[in-house]
Amino acid sequence: MNMLITQDAQQVAMSFLIRQASLIEPTVYAIKYQEIQYSQLIPVDTSAPEWIQSVTYFSMDSVGQAQWFSGLAHDVPKVEQTREKFETGVSMAAIGYGYTLEELGTAQLLGMSLTADKASSARRVAEEKIDQVAFVGDTGKGFTGLVNSSTPTATTAPADGTGSATTFASKTPDQILRDINGQLTGIFTGTLGAEIADTLLLPYSVLLDISTRRIDAVNQTTILEWVKKNNIYTLTTGQELTIRGVFGFLDAAGAGSTKRMVAYRRSPEVLKFHMPMPFRFLPAWQTGPMKFDVPGIFRLGGVDIRRPKAIRYLDGI
């Protein structure tokens, strides 16, 4: 008799949890986390089949130049393309939440709805993991991210700041603007004008410094405001350069664990973050005599940099 009562309670609790989960999940998926930046700064590709094991892509470059030509000649100049094949694996990660029979029974008895707190926390943890993989990859999986790939050009800032330092904090506004424009023009000249960076990522501490430091005692314009107006991308295209601060990931990404700046063109043609299966909750299930779990899973790979010359790193800033 007692066993029948327990079984009935478990069945009722499971039914209650399933109904509640169907209400909780849409609320959780609608939450936006401002500190999670990967979706704003890296093109995300979810088009691959959910259970695919790897993604193959090619890094391409073109060489060639048009020449004056006679109609009687046979040696027409040709463009050539170099293609390098890459393959990135796709792996699964999981995080979920759960309840006990007592928690579910109490909620039913009091006529209470389950809160979305546990589900929201699970999704938040998943988003933090995705954000980390997008920016710095995962060494255990062989993934690299946007800020630590080996394929873009990486240089060190000129050591002409105070005391021969390379940091922006030791430099004048003119020197900071020169260093930033050097990265933007480096991409432009390195691709023969085919690419120009539209996005600049800085460590938060560096962004804070240039956003509060005035050009001089007379001019109240901040260095950041001045850079936004006078950078070569804006002067060339008439569009505003996107400048974002990234917390944590850039503070030691440069050579010698120095601070790194990243300049790049934010386009799927340049880079992609593969996520065949975005985070989702699976149906609730009973995992013990009085335990009920709602698993959450997602599948993703590293960041594919398809045009390395459209991304540049500046270290020591």
Side-chain angles (χ1 to χ4, degrees), residues 33-42 124-137 145-146 246-247 249 273 275 298 300 303:
Y33 301 108
Q34 292 188 6
E35 307 96 281
I36 304 298
Q37 295 181 288
Y38 73 90
S39 61
Q40 305 167 38
L41 299 175
I42 305 172
R124 170 71 192 198
V125 170
E127 289 289 309
E128 289 175 351
K129 179 67 173 180
I130 297 169
D131 205 49
Q132 180 180 30
V133 173
F135 281 102
V136 297
L146 169 59
V246 176
F247 182 76
F249 299 132
F273 180 36
M275 196 188 313
F298 52 102
L300 67 163
V303 171

Side-chain angles (χ1 to χ4, degrees), residues 74-304:
H74 298 281
D75 54 340
V76 176
K78 297 179 181 178
V79 68
E80 298 291 344
Q81 280 194 329
T82 59
R83 304 180 69 189
E84 190 173 358
K85 181 180 177 181
F86 294 91
E87 187 166 357
T88 182
V90 177
S91 296
M92 182 166 62
I95 185 71
Y97 65 98
Y99 292 96
T100 66
L101 182 61
E102 184 178 18
E103 289 177 296
L104 296 174
T106 300
Q108 288 178 281
L109 180 64
L110 299 177
M112 298 168 53
S113 298
L114 296 178
T115 68
D117 293 348
K118 289 186 177 182
S120 178
S121 295
R123 182 173 178 236
R124 170 71 192 198
V125 170
E127 289 289 309
E128 289 175 351
K129 179 67 173 180
I130 297 169
D131 205 49
Q132 180 180 30
V133 173
F135 281 102
V136 297
D138 186 289
T139 54
K141 292 295 182 180
F143 297 156
T144 56
L146 169 59
V147 309
N148 66 346
S149 176
S150 60
T151 53
T153 299
T155 58
T156 300
D160 55 3
T162 303
S164 298
T166 63
T167 61
F168 280 8
S170 69
K171 294 185 175 182
T172 66
D174 283 330
Q175 290 173 320
I176 294 173
L177 180 62
R178 175 208 60 195
D179 290 350
I180 290 175
N181 277 335
Q183 294 301 99
L184 302 180
T185 56
I187 290 175
F188 189 73
T189 57
T191 59
L192 301 179
E195 307 277 7
I196 184 168
D198 57 14
T199 305
L200 198 69
L201 305 184
L202 296 167
Y204 261 122
S205 58
V206 175
L207 183 66
L208 178 62
D209 173 46
I210 65 174
S211 67
T212 56
R213 188 157 36 120
R214 307 294 179 181
I215 291 179
D216 54 48
V218 177
N219 193 330
Q220 293 301 298
T221 301
T222 66
I223 297 176
L224 179 60
E225 291 171 336
W226 193 60
V227 166
K228 281 186 173 182
K229 182 179 179 181
N230 295 288
N231 70 82
I232 196 66
Y233 171 76
T234 299
L235 295 174
T236 301
T237 66
Q239 301 178 41
E240 183 174 337
L241 177 68
T242 298
I243 304 176
R244 294 288 185 85
V246 176
F247 182 76
F249 299 132
L250 291 170
D251 289 329
S257 297
T258 57
K259 295 179 180 179
R260 167 170 283 180
M261 178 179 75
V262 180
Y264 65 107
R265 183 166 74 89
R266 195 173 72 254
S267 166
E269 297 176 349
V270 175
L271 73 165
K272 280 187 179 181
F273 180 36
H274 291 282
M275 196 188 313
M277 182 189 291
F279 179 76
R280 66 170 61 165
F281 289 113
L282 298 180
W285 68 306
Q286 188 170 349
T287 58
M290 292 187 291
K291 290 177 60 181
F292 302 84
D293 287 345
V294 181
I297 61 172
F298 52 102
R299 303 187 75 247
L300 67 163
V303 171
D304 294 341

Side-chain angles (χ1 to χ4, degrees), residues 49-66:
E50 290 185 341
W51 297 104
I52 197 169
Q53 297 301 305
S54 64
V55 175
T56 301
Y57 68 99
F58 294 89
S59 175
M60 295 178 291
D61 195 10
S62 299
V63 294
Q65 186 174 8

